[in-house]
Amino acid sequence: MVINARGAHDLQRVAAELNGLTEVRALAGDIGDDWHREALVEAAGQPIDLLVNNASMLGPSPSRRWPITR
């Protein structure tokens, strides 16, 4: 399982909790960045069985000038 979030500290905390249930790779970064999306796909390996996009109204992305909205 590969998980992603912009906040590395919280992401690592969640990864540590999930590692008790399954193998988890945590990659902090912004999915707005091409290189980060590529790193996520590489970390997941092939085949990718499921993708969950759980975005919300979080405010501005560091790499973008507008907020993430619905």
Side-chain angles (χ1 to χ4, degrees), residues 7 10-11 22 42 51 56 61 67:
D10 289 333
L11 182 64
T22 188
E42 184 176 322
L51 170 67
S56 64
S61 168

Side-chain angles (χ1 to χ4, degrees), residues 33-54:
D33 296 328
D34 292 340
W35 66 267
H36 185 66
R37 287 191 305 273
E38 291 173 13
L40 290 168
V41 170
E42 184 176 322
Q46 295 294 326
I48 296 175
D49 297 318
L50 176 68
L51 170 67
V52 176
N53 180 8
N54 189 21

Side-chain angles (χ1 to χ4, degrees), residues 3-47:
I3 60 175
N4 172 74
R6 286 187 261 167
H9 177 74
D10 289 333
L11 182 64
Q12 291 303 320
R13 181 183 52 78
V14 170
E17 290 178 25
L18 290 173
N19 268 324
L21 303 172
T22 188
E23 182 181 341
V24 175
R25 295 190 66 188
L27 297 174
D30 187 334
I31 62 168
D33 296 328
D34 292 340
W35 66 267
H36 185 66
R37 287 191 305 273
E38 291 173 13
L40 290 168
V41 170
E42 184 176 322
Q46 295 294 326

